[in-house]
């Protein structure tokens, strides 16, 4: 038998180094402890600088309360803290730290330097520490209020731990996750994270919001899909607040930010419950993004479970998890109606149409129910319309005329992306100036005139688009707007976009126009009914925002008097007003008001007026598209009455909206040739622009602007049974 081992008391240095290895497992753990100290010190701005994943250099600077000069002697000794006095205080603890081991542990495995200044101190003090002990006296120096802690050569004396860590890039990724989590939860605090000597990777503003910080850290693809959840349970003494992604978002990795009483922790039971809820809605092996802040009675929570404080235990765990699970599930169910038309996301560039076409061209067998219409010119549904049967020659002539028009008005594009969804932006080449002369159009495609309008004391008996204007492109260098209000309006458009509707419209196949307001399109093997007027309105609204200050001109051949146009518009709207003098006076005031905005309208909207009160030009929003001029008087009246001219953002929003309404109105004349022209415009101008640019809002799903009316695979099953 061997000799009985002698029990000895370990040296204090060995004990401290072992304890330090339990608390600081990697640079991210050390940073977490230091950030929590900064938050306990009421800091509102925290700056973190990292080198080599935190192993060579890790610095955190805050503007908190600082450390008193008298405490610098013992601040790095174990079990020294200002946050806990008795064990019973753990039951009501409201701070992150309580054991007083973080700084002591770091000082035993790294070179630690503290630079601090309190509000009442005349200067800052700098002190260095090793193995929990102060090295020399603190030195007075210049510094701002708060604390700056620098950790160098982490694990320099624990080589096995240092070798076990992976690459510096992976350690930096862990640091980004920790900083990102605390930045989202503490949105009132500004966080900055950067690599030493390199660009900033995370920067959140002070007094931000959780959603905005999610957008900054994780991107707009997550932020725009977030759902807010709230839960209060008096019985369990629990309140929950957070944000979860809806059923349209999924990711292979997924992310759970869980804070219990403001501590970033991990809870296996809550994680499994959330995965179980989302498994019903998401594809296999797909996960969600969830941020939850759970507040429980401190007396029901044990925070002293793990050396890194990464875990907590709490009473009534099963009931708490079940309540959270039910809350999340009910929220997802309430938004699930938006998935009626949704399809599973595909790889970039891959669509059902392309896949089936590829199969067909490769000679693979394609079942009849999967056949996709890829060329609308093979046999249009218009063939079965009476109007088309009567005048096939006219239709061919229209095509030839518009081919000439397209040759005159070329679509010019640059490589600048509008957004992550818009892959291209239409611009006008400043080196070229093309003209569309509507005067030479034959009678078959002549746009209908207004009804005869009698204008007293004016030289206009009617306004005819053929006679009154011609489109001309404006010669200029494209500019990128710097107006914050316009950029904010663009963000609103991008936040509300439906990715699945965007996929449908980006790969649409135009079928036919039912009338001036309704059209049929196909995507994959499904047929959709579109409210063309509503979609066009949104298209023109977005076009105005994204091409802001970059419009062409629809130049009037003969200037149009604003006052007479206002009289026309007021006579249309004010049917009960019979006093011609009142209408004339109102028209003069409206003319005066619009002329006062002349410079702004020309600079931002290419809306040109002269000093004599005449309309010279309208903006050209889409090449080849001209608005129905019969709606011009009412449009002008609404510019004065419906636009909020007092607020910049509201002004641009309402003015863009009214202009979009005007440009989206079709010609109501039911003349056969007019209808053909309107149908051609929808097929060859409006829907190609929708396919390239349009960001459909999620409201279109429920409002019926785009409605699925048939599915080939479902119809095929019906016919099989017949």
């Amino acid at each position: 038998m061997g000799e009985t081992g002698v029990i000895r008391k370990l040296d204090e240095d060995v004990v401290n180094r072992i304890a330090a290895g339990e608390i600081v497992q990697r640079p991210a753990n050390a940073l977490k402890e230091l950030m929590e100290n900064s938050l306990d010190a009421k800091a509102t701005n925290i700056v973190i600088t990292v080198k080599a994943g935190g192993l060579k250099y890790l610095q955190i600077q805050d503007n908190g309360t600082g450390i008193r000069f008298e405490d610098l002697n013992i601040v790095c000794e174990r079990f020294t803290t200002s946050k806990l006095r008795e064990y019973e205080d753990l039951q009501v603890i409201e701070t992150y730290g309580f054991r007083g081991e973080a700084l002591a542990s770091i000082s035993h495995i790294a070179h630690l330097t503290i630079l601090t200044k309190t509000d009442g101190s005349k200067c800052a003090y700098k002190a260095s520490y090793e193995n929990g002990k102060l090295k020399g006296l603190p030195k007075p120096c210049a510094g701002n209020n708060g604390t700056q802690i620098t950790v160098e050569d982490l694990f320099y004396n624990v080589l096995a731990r240092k070798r076990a860590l992976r690459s510096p890039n992976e350690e930096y990724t862990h640091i980004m996750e920790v900083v990102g989590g605390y930045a989202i939860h503490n949105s009132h605090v500004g966080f900055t994270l950067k690599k030493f000597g390199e660009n900033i990777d995370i920067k959140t503003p002070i007094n931000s919001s959780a959603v905005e910080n999610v957008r900054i850290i994780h991107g707009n693809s997550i932020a725009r899909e977030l759902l807010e959840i709230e839960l209060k349970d008096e019985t369990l003494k629990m309140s929950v607040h957070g944000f979860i992604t809806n059923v349209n978002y999924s990711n292979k990795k997924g992310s759970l930010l869980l804070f219990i009483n403001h501590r970033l922790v991990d809870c296996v039971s809550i994680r499994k419950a959330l995965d179980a809820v989302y498994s019903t809605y998401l594809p296999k092996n797909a996960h969600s993004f969830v941020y939850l802040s759970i507040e429980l009675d401190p007396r029901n929570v044990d925070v002293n479970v793990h050396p890194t404080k990464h875990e907590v235990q709490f009473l009534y765990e099963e009931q708490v998890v079940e309540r959270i699970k039910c809350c999340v599930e009910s929220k997802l169910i309430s938004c699930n109606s938006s998935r009626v038309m949704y399809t599973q996301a595909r790889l970039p560039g891959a669509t059902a149409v392309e896949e089936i076409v590829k199969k067909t061209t490769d000679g693979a067998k394609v079942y009849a129910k999967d056949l996709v219409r890829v060329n609308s010119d093979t046999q249009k549904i218009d063939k079965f319309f009476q109007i088309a049967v009567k005048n096939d020659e006219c239709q061919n002539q229209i095509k030839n005329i518009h081919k000439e028009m397209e040759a005159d008005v070329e679509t010019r594009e640059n490589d600048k992306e509008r957004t992550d969804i818009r892959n291209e932006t239409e611009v006008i080449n400043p080196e070229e100036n093309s003209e569309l002369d509507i005067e030479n159009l034959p009678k078959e495609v002549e746009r209908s005139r207004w009804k005869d309008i009698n204008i007293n004391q004016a030289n206009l008996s009617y306004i005819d688009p053929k006679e009154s204007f011609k489109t001309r492109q404006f010669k200029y260098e494209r500019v990128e707007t710097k107006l914050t209000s316009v950029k904010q309006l663009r963000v609103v458009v991008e936040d509300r976009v439906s990715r699945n509707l965007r996929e449908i419209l980006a790969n649409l196949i135009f079928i036919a126009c039912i009338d001036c307001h309704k059209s049929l399109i196909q995507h994959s093997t499904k047929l959709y009914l579109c409210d063309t007027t509503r979609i066009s309105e949104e298209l023109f609204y977005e076009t105005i925002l994204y091409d802001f200050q970059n419009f062409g001109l629809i130049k009037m051949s003969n200037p149009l008097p604003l006052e007479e146009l206002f009289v026309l518009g007021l006579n249309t709207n004010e049917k009960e007003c019979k006093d011609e003098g009142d209408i004339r006076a109102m028209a003069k005031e409206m003319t005066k008001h619009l002329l006062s905005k002349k410079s702004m309208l020309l600079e931002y909207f290419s809306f040109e007026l002269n000093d004599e009160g005449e309309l010279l030009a309208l903006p050209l929003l889409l090449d080849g598209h001209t608005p129905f001029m019969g709606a011009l008087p009412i449009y002008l009246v609404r510019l004065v009455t419906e636009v909020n001219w007092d607020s910049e953002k509201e002004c641009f929003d309402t003015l863009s909206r009214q202009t979009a309404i005007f440009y989206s109105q079709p010609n109501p004349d039911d003349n056969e040739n007019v209808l053909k022209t309107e149908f051609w415009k929808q097929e060859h101008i409006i829907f190609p622009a929708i396919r390239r640019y349009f960001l459909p809002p999620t409201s279109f799903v429920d409002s019926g602007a785009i409605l699925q009316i048939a599915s080939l695979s479902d119809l095929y099953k019906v016919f099989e049974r017949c």
Side-chain angles (χ1 to χ4, degrees), residues 341-359:
M341 298 172 61
Y342 286 5
T343 57
Q344 183 174 343
R346 300 182 178 89
L347 294 174
T351 66
V353 175
E354 293 170 352
E355 292 167 5
I356 294 174
V357 170
K358 186 174 183 295
K359 289 181 182 179

Side-chain angles (χ1 to χ4, degrees), residues 83-342:
K83 304 159 188 174
L84 189 73
R85 290 185 178 274
E86 300 177 352
Y87 182 80
E88 288 73 18
D89 293 343
L90 282 175
Q91 297 181 356
V92 291
I93 193 75
E94 294 182 355
T95 57
Y96 290 101
F98 55 86
R99 284 198 299 250
E101 288 188 294
L103 288 175
S105 298
I106 295 172
S107 71
H108 280 89
I109 55 176
H111 302 301
L112 180 68
T113 303
I114 298 178
L115 174 65
T116 185
K117 180 180 180 297
T118 59
D119 190 27
S121 178
K122 295 181 180 180
C123 65
Y125 290 93
K126 184 176 183 180
S128 299
Y129 298 86
E130 185 175 357
N131 295 326
K133 303 297 182 182
L134 181 65
K135 294 170 59 178
L137 294 175
K139 298 178 182 179
C141 59
N144 298 322
N145 288 348
T147 303
Q148 175 184 293
I149 299 178
T150 304
V151 180
E152 297 179 277
D153 297 324
L154 190 62
F155 300 124
Y156 76 96
N157 55 358
V158 190
L159 297 180
R161 175 68 59 83
K162 190 173 184 178
R163 294 193 189 102
L165 295 176
R166 297 188 179 179
S167 67
N169 287 337
E170 183 170 339
E171 295 306 316
Y172 187 69
T173 301
H174 288 293
I175 288 175
M176 290 184 67
E177 291 174 354
V178 172
V179 175
Y182 276 90
I184 292 171
H185 183 69
N186 300 277
S187 55
H188 62 285
V189 179
F191 284 83
T192 302
L193 172 64
K194 60 182 179 179
K195 289 183 179 179
F196 188 86
E198 298 185 23
N199 294 330
I200 294 173
D201 290 309
I202 293 178
K203 184 174 181 61
T204 61
I206 301 174
N207 294 325
S208 182
S209 65
V211 175
E212 187 60 30
N213 285 357
V214 169
R215 180 178 286 106
I216 293 170
I217 296 166
H218 295 282
N220 196 45
S221 60
I222 291 179
R224 66 186 174 209
E225 307 291 354
L226 291 180
L227 302 171
E228 185 175 10
I229 64 170
E230 291 275 0
L231 172 63
K232 290 186 181 294
D233 192 314
E234 296 297 334
T235 304
L236 295 173
K237 297 181 180 179
M238 172 184 69
S239 65
V240 179
H241 178 260
F243 294 90
I244 62 174
T245 49
N246 60 29
V247 293
N248 302 321
Y249 173 83
S250 64
N251 190 280
K252 289 184 178 180
K253 185 178 179 182
S255 181
L256 171 61
L257 294 178
L258 178 62
F259 288 81
I260 297 181
N261 287 0
H262 305 290
R263 297 179 185 278
L264 179 61
V265 299
D266 187 23
C267 181
V268 176
S269 56
I270 292 179
R271 184 183 294 274
K272 288 183 178 179
L274 293 173
D275 288 342
V277 173
Y278 274 98
S279 64
T280 307
Y281 303 94
L282 302 183
K284 188 177 180 181
N285 296 326
H287 302 280
S288 59
F289 173 89
V290 176
Y291 156 62
L292 291 180
S293 175
I294 305 173
E295 293 192 43
L296 301 169
D297 188 337
R299 292 171 294 185
N300 295 343
V301 182
D302 185 1
V303 296
N304 191 31
V305 175
H306 195 277
T308 63
K309 307 172 191 171
H310 189 60
E311 297 177 8
V312 297
Q313 291 184 352
F314 48 92
L315 297 177
Y316 317 116
E317 181 176 332
E318 292 184 2
Q319 293 88 334
V320 169
V321 172
E322 186 62 28
R323 290 288 288 117
I324 294 173
K325 180 180 178 181
C326 294
C327 178
V328 171
E329 192 164 23
S330 62
K331 192 69 176 180
L332 293 178
I333 290 174
S334 66
C335 75
N336 192 37
S337 58
S338 64
R339 298 191 82 207
V340 173
M341 298 172 61
Y342 286 5

Side-chain angles (χ1 to χ4, degrees), residues 413-616:
E413 300 175 341
N414 66 357
D415 295 329
K416 181 176 178 62
E417 295 187 355
R418 277 190 178 177
T419 65
D420 55 342
I421 302 175
R422 292 175 186 250
N423 295 322
E424 51 189 4
T425 304
E426 186 174 33
V427 299
I428 296 175
N429 190 335
E431 301 299 326
E432 300 185 20
N433 184 26
S434 59
E435 180 178 315
L436 169 61
D437 189 359
I438 302 180
E439 295 176 359
N440 295 327
L441 293 181
K443 293 182 180 180
E444 285 79 4
V445 293
E446 179 180 324
R447 291 170 172 79
S448 66
R449 298 184 174 188
W450 287 6
K451 296 179 180 179
D452 290 347
I453 302 174
N454 296 321
I455 305 177
N456 296 331
Q457 301 176 352
N459 195 25
L460 294 176
S461 58
Y462 63 87
I463 301 174
D464 185 347
K466 181 179 78 66
E467 300 289 343
S468 63
F469 67 91
K470 48 188 176 180
T471 59
R472 186 183 298 274
Q473 295 191 332
F474 194 50
K475 197 170 183 178
Y476 65 96
E477 294 288 346
R478 181 172 179 84
V479 297
E480 179 59 34
T481 184
K482 297 181 180 179
L483 295 173
T484 303
S485 55
V486 176
K487 293 181 179 180
Q488 290 174 346
L489 291 172
R490 292 177 181 176
V491 170
V492 172
V493 170
E494 293 162 13
D495 285 345
R496 65 180 185 174
V497 68
S498 168
R499 293 165 55 200
N500 292 278
L501 281 184
R502 173 60 191 158
E503 181 185 358
I504 292 172
L505 295 177
N507 299 282
L508 69 87
I509 300 168
F510 184 83
I511 303 300
C513 296
I514 296 177
D515 55 31
C516 289
H517 300 283
K518 296 285 190 299
S519 300
L520 290 174
I521 65 169
Q522 180 178 332
H523 175 259
S524 184
T525 56
K526 294 181 174 62
L527 186 67
Y528 298 93
L529 177 66
C530 297
D531 188 332
T532 313
T533 303
R534 291 180 58 192
I535 296 176
S536 299
E537 178 186 328
E538 289 297 325
L539 170 69
F540 286 121
Y541 175 76
E542 294 176 9
T543 300
I544 294 171
L545 294 182
Y546 284 93
D547 281 343
F548 200 79
Q549 296 181 254
N550 293 284
F551 307 115
L553 286 176
I554 299 178
K555 200 81 174 178
M556 303 294 171
S557 297
N558 300 312
L560 303 179
L562 282 178
E563 186 175 328
E564 303 304 331
L565 291 172
F566 278 124
V567 170
L568 284 175
L570 291 171
N571 278 324
T572 303
N573 290 333
E574 305 290 339
K575 294 183 179 179
E576 298 180 358
C577 182
K578 308 214 173 161
D579 191 339
E580 183 66 25
D582 290 344
I583 291 180
R584 180 66 58 177
M586 291 174 62
K588 288 182 179 179
E589 288 298 319
M590 289 180 169
T591 302
K592 181 179 178 181
H593 177 79
L594 211 57
L595 286 176
S596 68
K597 313 295 181 184
K598 181 180 67 170
S599 299
M600 183 271 285
L601 290 172
L602 178 60
E603 180 181 358
Y604 293 147
F605 294 94
S606 298
F607 192 101
E608 188 175 2
L609 306 172
N610 62 17
D611 294 332
E612 288 72 32
E614 294 176 325
L615 176 63
L616 303 181

